[in-house]
């Protein structure tokens, strides 16, 4: 399986599709990552806050795929923002992953109530980049106002902004901002996972069950998940679907042999509800979400 790649704004190549491991339990992470590597994935998206960097690293070390062929992306959690704290956050993540260099290190969230601390964290990422400890740096869940304020002081334009993007929540303004500034948009919940996470609010409708999605899937002989991944890729976005099941991990990478038509893309574009599944950016504060990340 050959996965298309994107060239980031600093020339680094990144596979367009990777495996996400949010909510993948410790004891299932190694098997999921191992299956993904066997099935052709060369990009894993984890985070300090997911508590499974160690198992991601172990799976990569135990696989037959050389380290330099796997693109490792991880995230600094808000409790490690601040210049020295973020440098130490890198040390913790690198030690848990068991690697010297991280391919893409991003800030997990803006911290609007303490944006100075967010900016200091980003300066630490710039230092790690200059020292070659990371190959690319970026952000996640940054809205237009956060990116604008960041670009005012940053020396390095973020390579990636990882955002909640599925047909029910498309965030077009921030996607356009990224396109305009050379920041690659990367979709989290690319198959709409957050529209059906258990316990995330009653009355939600899974985008995988939307008649528009299932109709397009039927027309191509593909699954709804594959249609949503194609939709993201054809819009020029990186996608990082999560699964712990081997058959779905295989299904989710099997998306490079068909194309959605312009009409189909337009149909999916029209499903936007404007309703965010994740936390409102302003609600992300240290008081509410600032749990500590353990030492390595
Ligand atoms: P996804 O859109 O990837 O959906 C994952 C859910 O879909 C799981 O419940 C999975 O269950 C199920 N699933 C996977 N494949 C299929 C399939 N082919 N058919 C039907 N169901 C399927 O949602 P996520 O929210 O997990 O997002 C993906 C990744 O994005 C995360 O793992 C994480 O790496 C990142 N992320 C980042 C965030 C951020 O704030 N930066 C926030 C949230 C996610 P099962 O495992 O049982 O197959």
């Amino acid at each position: 399986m050959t996965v298309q790649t994107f060239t980031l704004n600093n020339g680094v190549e990144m596979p367009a599709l990777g495996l996400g491991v949010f909510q993948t339990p410790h004891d299932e992470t190694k098997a999921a990552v191992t299956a993904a590597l066997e099935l052709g994935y060369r990009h894993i998206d984890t985070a300090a806050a997911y508590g499974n960097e160690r198992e991601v690293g172990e799976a990569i070390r135990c696989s037959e795929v050389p380290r330099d062929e796997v693109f490792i992306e991880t995230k600094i959690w808000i409790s490690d923002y601040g210049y020295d704290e973020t440098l130490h956050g890198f040390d913790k993540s690198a030690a848990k992953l068991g690697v010297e260099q991280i391919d893409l290190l991003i800030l997990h969230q803006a911290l609007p109530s303490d944006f100075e601390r967010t900016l200091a964290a980003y300066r630490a990422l710039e230092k790690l980049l200059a020292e070659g400890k990371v190959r690319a740096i970026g952000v996640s869940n940054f809205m237009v106002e956060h990116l604008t304020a960041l670009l005012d002081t940053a020396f390095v334009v973020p390579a990636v902004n990882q955002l909640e993007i599925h047909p029910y929540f498309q965030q077009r303004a921030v996607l356009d901002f990224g396109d305009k500034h050379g920041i690659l948009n990367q979709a989290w919940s690319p198959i709409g996972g957050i529209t059906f996470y258990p316990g995330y609010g009653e009355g939600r409708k899974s985008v995988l069950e939307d008649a528009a999605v299932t109709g397009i899937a039927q027309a191509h002989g593909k699954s709804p998940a594959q249609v949503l991944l194609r939709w993201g890729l054809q819009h020029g976005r990186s996608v990082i679907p999560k699964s712990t099941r081997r058959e779905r991990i295989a299904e989710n990478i099997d998306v490079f042999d068909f194309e959605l038509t312009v009409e189909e893309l337009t149909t999916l574009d029209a499903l936007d509800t404007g309703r965010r599944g994740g936390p409102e950016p302003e609600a992300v504060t240290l008081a509410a979400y600032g749990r500590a990340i353990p030492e390595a």
Side-chain angles (χ1 to χ4, degrees):
M1 182 72 57
T2 308
V3 172
Q4 148 199 359
T5 60
F6 287 118
T7 305
L8 302 179
N9 62 13
N10 65 351
V12 167
E13 293 275 309
M14 183 181 84
L17 184 145
L19 179 78
V21 295
F22 176 45
Q23 302 185 113
T24 300
H26 287 247
D27 56 351
E28 293 177 42
T29 302
K30 189 175 173 194
V33 174
T34 301
L37 294 172
E38 286 170 4
L39 291 161
Y41 287 67
R42 293 293 178 268
H43 176 180
I44 311 295
D45 176 69
T46 182
Y50 300 168
N52 55 14
E53 289 172 309
R54 217 179 286 283
E55 291 78 10
V56 167
E58 206 185 323
I60 293 170
R61 262 192 314 286
C62 292
S63 87
E64 287 177 4
V65 183
R67 161 69 189 100
D68 63 1
E69 290 180 20
V70 185
F71 192 95
I72 303 178
E73 174 172 3
T74 193
K75 315 182 189 79
I76 299 282
W77 187 239
I78 54 173
S79 51
D80 282 332
Y81 284 9
Y83 187 76
D84 291 333
E85 294 88 341
T86 296
L87 293 178
H88 186 56
F90 164 84
D91 291 337
K92 288 193 279 188
S93 286
K96 289 175 189 170
L97 288 160
V99 298
E100 299 276 308
Q101 189 189 46
I102 289 170
D103 297 286
L104 174 60
L105 186 62
I106 66 180
L107 300 184
H108 205 140
Q109 300 273 350
L111 199 48
S113 56
D114 198 346
F115 205 69
E116 277 309 311
R117 201 191 283 245
T118 311
L119 293 175
Y122 194 78
R123 279 197 294 280
L125 296 193
E126 291 178 325
K127 179 176 165 65
L128 293 164
L129 182 68
E131 289 175 344
K133 292 184 171 170
V134 300
R135 296 172 65 222
I137 60 176
V139 295
S140 174
N141 299 309
F142 271 47
M143 302 294 102
V144 169
E145 64 272 25
H146 308 132
L147 290 171
T148 304
L150 179 69
L151 292 182
D152 268 356
T153 60
F155 292 101
V156 177
V157 176
V160 164
N161 188 14
Q162 186 181 115
L163 296 156
E164 177 183 349
I165 304 288
H166 46 76
Y168 287 169
F169 190 59
Q170 300 186 29
Q171 310 211 61
R172 293 217 180 82
V174 69
L175 295 182
D176 290 347
F177 188 98
D179 289 342
K180 197 163 134 214
H181 290 85
I183 303 167
L184 180 71
N185 295 307
Q186 182 175 58
W188 67 255
S189 272
I191 60 173
I194 198 156
T195 66
F196 54 89
Y197 288 163
Y200 263 62
E202 292 312 309
R204 283 182 189 233
K205 179 177 167 200
S206 163
V207 67
L208 289 177
E209 289 166 9
D210 192 289
V213 178
T214 55
I216 294 171
Q218 224 164 18
H220 287 274
K222 286 285 185 177
S223 71
Q226 289 171 323
V227 165
L228 296 189
L229 294 169
R230 245 353 276 175
W231 172 72
L233 291 167
Q234 286 184 224
H235 275 308
R237 292 191 285 273
S238 161
V239 290
I240 44 168
K242 172 263 178 187
S243 182
T244 52
R245 306 189 204 185
R246 189 181 175 95
E247 69 281 7
R248 286 181 171 175
I249 295 172
E251 176 184 324
N252 294 345
I253 199 177
D254 183 17
V255 294
F256 296 98
D257 63 348
F258 76 111
E259 287 238 356
L260 302 178
T261 64
V262 173
E263 291 73 29
E264 288 167 339
L265 293 175
T266 308
T267 300
L268 298 173
D269 291 347
L271 298 180
D272 199 2
T273 63
R275 183 175 170 205
R276 185 186 293 282
E280 287 299 327
E282 296 302 317
V284 177
T285 61
L286 281 172
Y289 289 96
R291 69 183 183 287
I293 299 298
E295 294 297 325

